[in-house]
Amino acid sequence: MSTPYPFTAIVGQDDLRLGLLLNAVSPAVGGVLVRGEKGTAKSTAVRALAALMPEVAVVPGCRFSCDPASPDPACPDGPHAEAAGVARAARTVELPVGASEDRLVGALDIERALSEGVKAFEPGLLADAHRGILYVDEVNLLHDHLVDLLLDAAAMGASYVEREGVSVRHAARFLLVGTMNPEEGELRPQLLDRFGLTVEVSASRDTDERVEVVRRRLAYDDDPEGFAARWAEEENALRERIAGARALLPRVVLGDGVLRQIAATCAAFEVDGMRADIVMARTATALAAWAGREEVTADDVRQAALLALPHRRRRNPFDAPGLDEDKLDQTLDEAGPQENSDGDDDPDPGPDGGGDGGGGSGVPPQADGEDRTPPQPPQGQGSEGDSPSPAPEGAPDAPGRPAGGEQQPVAAAEPFRTKMLSVPGLGEGAAGRRSRARTEHGRTTGARRPEGALTKLHLAATVQAAAPHQHARGRSGRGLVVRRDDLRQATREGREGNLVLFVVDASGSMAARQRMSAVKGAVLSLLLDAYQRRDKVGLVTFRGKEAEVALPPTSSVDAAAARLESLPTGGRTPLAAGLLKAHDVLRVERLRDPSRRPLLVVVTDGRATGGPEPVALAGRAARLHRSEGTASVVVDCESGYVRLGLAGELARELGGTAVTLDELRADSIAGLVKDVTAAGRAA
């Protein structure tokens, strides 16, 4: 086994180390989600934590790590007779993003269950992680069906395996630790709330600190064992401090005044439910124990809020995590318990009497002066200078006007719930929630012979295949004689995620501020829908003389929303260029991921200007998409009393469907759920 990188050798990353150590002191805190850019020691720190965790006592021979002091009465390996436990290191179990359901929850031996009637169960990763750490790298990329299983286990503290009438249950209480790069997509809100704490990490901009990171990493790579030996003393000291904090934890007092601070803070930031209050209380208690104190202070509450609330106050997927620290300090001051102060003379005592309940001298994990605002994505091409009015449609750029008659970006209107747009037919792409597809999960539609390992048994079809051969196979007992050739794989139909490529008209014909605000609001609504349906998204914009890929296809809907927000408008309408650029993007993506079907969403009023025969060129570009079978929808942004119907013409050329902004709303009379017309169908 390779020697892990020492935890104490990690340079900087104070928030990350504190979040992990608090969970080592008190696993009841509920785990930690580590968010940050690639190459910031997220995985290294998590793997290094395992060496610091105290040993656990287990029942000898139990595959489910039962505690000898209180064994699980429903343990599949039980019942356990009274026996002395054996100590072993706490496990850190890694859940790969591409793991199967059977690997996570365990698998039943179907052949033995049918032929012998016994529950032959092989434990999965949830059983291995019981009373240890379950680590998920790139947790935001985890398949939905695995997320559902994790949510069930985290909520109930047990894993249930149900297969064709055979049931197995075992305890599964673990410390959930996940790492993710927000650029690759966000996490489902239900799973996000299951993480007790969240920390943001980023690479240091300090030259000396970066030099030290490289120096230590090179030394470790050259001689892992020797490097670990040089840090052994610090590791032992940290291990003893964790053990001491765990021993002190039951004696830590959480006063009523502090509880009022916690409740007031959660109410002030409008977090959902009561889990935030409980996590904050447990975190503040762990902070006090870590500091060697038997009483929770206002500083502990402040640090707990900065760790436990940022990911819970997000109202939609496009909100950046974080807290308004001025508001936090004000809330703590107003609700601060006097008896937990450090003796400050506050002329305005709080409701419980005494000094102020504010920040104190402790430095909260994210109050180190560093700007934690995520870097803004590059803005659209060209200058963002103000323009007194948009250039007339089709007119040349006026002298002194920014390139393309460009206007400053306008804010998007309030997003709304959109109707569902789906790709017709039956796909086989990545699991998601948009279009019909053959998947491993969903409703059973039939049976077939398995290709490779059997994953989903179709019991009725298997029995039907085996029944005619029982006499020839010499069946004499109660069990059914089943051979490998009798097994049938269930075929299932569920939903897939698609590649939703937005082609947005940012020309002068769209540049009226109120109108463009409504258009951006519609696209933002579609992006929110794509986030919920687990799609990949891309963004192509066109204006002036050309089109550009504002965002290559990605799982990060947040990035698409940021690009949209900074999108300026103005200039001519090179519709053909936008469609051809979209064709290039889709051609490359078909090579990269041929099973993921695309959905082209063109947001325009249908006008085409600039160059010779712009309308004819746009028609030819649209027919190119139609000839390749690309499903498409045109969001008609034309407004006013006189409508030319150009977006409808474009939709017919694409072989798709046109919807107005009003029809896009799910709650409108025209907002009925319908599939996008496939290319090749009658227009």
Side-chain angles (χ1 to χ4, degrees), residues 519-669:
V519 169
K520 284 188 175 183
V523 178
L524 193 66
S525 303
L526 289 167
L527 283 171
L528 182 58
D529 181 68
Y531 164 80
Q532 294 167 340
R533 301 189 187 281
R534 318 306 287 173
D535 294 316
K536 287 180 70 174
V537 296
L539 179 62
V540 173
T541 63
F542 59 94
R543 61 190 174 87
K545 298 180 180 180
E546 60 185 14
E548 65 175 348
V549 180
L551 182 72
T554 176
S555 296
S556 178
V557 179
D558 285 14
R563 297 293 199 278
L564 178 71
E565 193 69 26
S566 62
L567 178 67
T569 59
R572 296 186 176 93
T573 312
L575 177 57
L579 294 174
L580 291 174
K581 182 68 73 174
H583 179 267
D584 291 341
V585 172
L586 294 180
R587 177 177 54 81
V588 173
E589 285 302 307
R590 284 190 181 99
L591 296 174
R592 290 177 177 170
D593 190 358
S595 64
R596 188 183 288 269
R597 298 186 294 163
L599 174 61
L600 184 68
V601 179
V602 185
V603 184
T604 181
D605 56 10
R607 290 183 172 88
T609 61
E613 299 183 345
V615 176
L617 284 174
R620 286 199 291 271
R623 290 191 292 275
L624 182 61
H625 283 283
R626 179 173 184 171
S627 68
E628 296 186 352
T630 302
S632 59
V633 61
V634 177
V635 179
D636 185 357
C637 302
E638 193 173 25
S639 60
Y641 294 106
V642 179
R643 295 176 182 256
L644 302 178
L646 298 176
E649 288 291 334
L650 176 62
R652 282 188 285 275
E653 295 282 13
L654 285 166
T657 300
V659 296
T660 65
L661 289 176
D662 289 337
E663 291 172 340
L664 194 61
R665 293 178 177 270
D667 54 0
S668 71
I669 296 177

Side-chain angles (χ1 to χ4, degrees), residues 103-462:
R103 185 71 188 97
L104 178 61
V105 300
L108 292 170
D109 188 333
I110 300 296
E111 294 187 46
R112 289 191 63 192
L114 287 173
S115 60
E116 303 174 29
V118 297
K119 296 180 181 179
F121 180 70
E122 184 66 27
L125 296 177
L126 290 180
D128 293 341
H130 180 48
R131 304 178 65 204
I133 300 173
L134 182 63
Y135 169 48
V136 189
D137 194 13
E138 305 295 351
V139 64
N140 52 323
L141 303 182
L142 201 62
H143 288 174
D144 274 358
H145 68 281
L146 297 182
V147 171
D148 293 338
L149 294 170
L150 276 182
L151 287 172
D152 288 344
M156 297 183 293
S159 174
Y160 291 84
V161 184
E162 306 283 348
R163 295 292 160 80
E164 310 298 343
V166 182
S167 232
V168 174
R169 173 222 172 266
H170 65 83
R173 291 181 294 275
F174 46 81
L175 179 64
L176 183 60
V177 179
T179 58
M180 61 174 284
N181 182 352
E183 294 177 356
E184 297 172 339
E186 275 298 340
L187 204 58
R188 278 175 55 182
Q190 297 93 332
L191 183 57
L192 190 65
D193 189 51
R194 282 292 169 185
F195 287 98
L197 311 179
T198 185
V199 294
E200 299 279 335
V201 296
S202 59
S204 172
R205 299 296 182 259
D206 181 80
T207 302
D208 293 337
E209 195 167 288
R210 294 175 74 97
V211 167
E212 186 61 24
V213 169
V214 175
R215 181 182 291 120
R216 293 186 186 183
R217 186 68 210 192
L218 293 177
Y220 170 77
D221 291 341
D222 290 340
D223 181 12
E225 294 183 0
F227 184 82
R230 290 196 292 275
W231 289 89
E233 185 175 345
E234 288 84 350
E235 291 282 287
N236 289 333
L238 188 58
R239 193 176 293 109
E240 291 175 2
R241 184 178 177 185
I242 292 173
R246 277 197 169 195
L248 178 62
L249 189 66
R251 303 198 302 272
V252 174
V253 176
L254 189 69
D256 289 343
V258 171
L259 280 174
R260 290 185 62 84
Q261 269 191 317
I262 292 171
T265 301
C266 292
F269 285 99
E270 300 180 345
V271 295
D272 295 331
M274 296 297 298
R275 184 174 286 118
D277 304 62
I278 296 170
V279 171
M280 269 192 68
R282 289 171 173 167
T283 304
T285 304
L287 281 163
W290 179 246
R293 288 182 272 101
E294 294 188 4
E295 189 174 8
V296 176
T297 68
D299 293 339
D300 297 329
V301 175
R302 190 178 196 277
Q303 285 194 343
L306 291 170
L307 289 168
L309 296 188
H311 60 302
R312 291 187 166 89
R313 60 151 293 275
R314 302 183 68 184
R315 310 313 298 176
N316 68 65
F318 308 134
D319 291 338
L323 291 182
D324 182 341
E325 295 192 25
D326 291 337
K327 180 179 179 180
L328 174 61
D329 290 334
Q330 180 181 354
T331 303
L332 293 174
D333 282 340
E334 292 173 354
Q338 295 296 319
E339 66 269 22
N340 287 333
S341 71
D342 294 329
D344 292 342
D345 294 325
D346 190 346
D348 183 18
D352 293 311
D356 84 315
S361 59
V363 180
Q366 294 182 349
D368 54 4
E370 181 181 345
D371 183 9
R372 299 302 174 95
T373 304
Q376 294 298 314
Q379 297 194 355
Q381 174 181 316
S383 168
E384 292 190 10
D386 286 326
S387 175
S389 63
E393 177 65 18
D397 298 337
R401 186 187 300 277
E406 179 178 296
Q407 287 192 354
Q408 287 278 16
V410 299
E414 190 70 20
F416 52 85
R417 189 167 67 90
T418 67
K419 63 188 292 186
M420 191 180 82
L421 305 171
S422 61
V423 179
L426 196 62
E428 295 182 346
R433 300 178 183 176
R434 185 173 296 278
S435 305
R436 292 174 55 224
R438 286 182 287 269
T439 62
E440 287 293 320
H441 303 272
R443 63 185 181 89
T444 301
T445 58
R448 60 176 173 82
R449 290 181 181 272
E451 299 173 1
L454 178 73
T455 55
K456 296 290 182 182
L457 179 76
H458 194 295
L459 182 59
T462 299

Side-chain angles (χ1 to χ4, degrees), residues 57-68 77 80-87:
V58 298
V59 173
C62 178
R63 297 174 298 167
F64 301 89
S65 303
C66 280
D67 186 349
D77 284 355
H80 297 298
E82 292 186 9
V86 294

